[in-house]
């Protein structure tokens, strides 16, 4: 059962996604949560405290998603199945429900000036990178936390572009095929075999996305 504190944090994340950083106020969270005015301020007296709590909550949600991913990763998972995970994550983050992605972008901007938010996002980035490296290792790929962290950073930038740019711009820069781009992210960052498991991975990708791979795994590092 979700606690009152977690409910307020979840609503703060939703407000961030819908209204942006400037729209995140105690009253806005009270309204979103359907609680009496002043409730959020009682839990989080300042805006800094509210932002830090939202970042901590998102970190905790991502950590739970990482745990579920590791617990459900089948023995003998293939590089192709891992590669297929990234197009699925892009679709979920951009097309299915962009709330987490939008809130993440707002928190990244806030983190530039707020040490508490920066620390929470740092913990999330490290946790996601280690989990990603573990998943890749389960598929026999020599991936490190650095490789997985780079893949996460690539993923965030591409996901924001897919969400923010008009269709004609995405076509012009080769980002209009989200499936191919997801596989291309994997090829660009992860050493060893390519998405189809037959070729060496390309250091920077020879195509805008690079197709390949079989049918695949579901879920995803960090719950993005």
């Amino acid at each position: 059962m979700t606690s009152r504190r977690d409910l307020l944090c979840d609503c703060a994340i939703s407000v961030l996604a819908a209204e942006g950083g400037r729209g995140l106020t105690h009253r806005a969270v009270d309204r979103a949560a359907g609680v009496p005015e002043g409730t959020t301020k009682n839990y989080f007296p300042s805006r800094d405290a509210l932002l830090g709590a939202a970042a901590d909550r998102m970190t905790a949600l991502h950590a739970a998603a990482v745990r579920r991913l590791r617990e459900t990763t089948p023995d003998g998972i293939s590089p192709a199945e891992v590669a297929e995970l990234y197009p699925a994550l892009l679709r979920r983050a951009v097309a299915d429900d962009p709330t987490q992605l939008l809130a993440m972008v707002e928190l990244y901007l806030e983190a530039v000036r707020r040490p508490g938010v920066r620390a929470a996002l740092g913990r999330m980035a490290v946790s996601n990178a280690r989990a990603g490296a573990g998943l890749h290792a389960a598929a026999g790929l020599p991936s490190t936390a650095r490789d997985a962290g780079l893949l996460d950073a690539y993923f965030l930038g591409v996901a924001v572009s897919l969400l923010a740019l008009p269709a004609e711009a995405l076509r012009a820069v080769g980002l209009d095929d989200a499936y191919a781009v997801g596989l291309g992210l994997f090829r660009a960052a992860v050493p060893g075999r390519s998405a189809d498991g037959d070729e060496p991975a390309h250091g920077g990708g020879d195509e805008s996305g690079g197709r390949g791979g079989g049918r695949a795994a579901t879920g995803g590092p960090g719950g993005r």
Side-chain angles (χ1 to χ4, degrees), residues 98-159:
T99 299
Q100 289 276 320
L101 174 60
L102 287 168
M104 178 84 74
V105 171
E106 295 293 338
L107 287 173
Y108 263 71
L109 293 174
E110 295 286 351
V112 174
R113 302 171 187 86
R114 301 179 190 275
V117 178
R118 179 179 294 188
L121 293 183
R123 291 192 295 272
M124 185 193 305
V126 171
S127 174
N128 286 351
R130 288 175 176 169
L135 178 64
H136 300 162
L141 294 164
S143 182
T144 65
R146 178 188 179 280
D147 300 319
L150 187 62
L151 178 54
D152 252 14
Y154 286 171
F155 182 97
L156 180 60
V158 167

Side-chain angles (χ1 to χ4, degrees), residues 156-219:
L156 180 60
V158 167
V160 171
S161 294
L162 292 177
L163 193 62
L165 296 179
E168 59 271 20
L170 292 174
R171 285 193 297 271
V173 299
L175 293 176
D176 54 317
D177 185 342
Y179 177 82
V181 170
L183 294 183
L185 290 173
F186 183 80
R187 287 176 177 236
V190 178
R193 286 172 288 180
S194 65
D196 59 15
D198 295 330
E199 308 165 3
H202 295 292
D206 56 351
E207 304 173 12
S208 60
R211 281 194 178 275
R215 301 273 176 194
T218 58

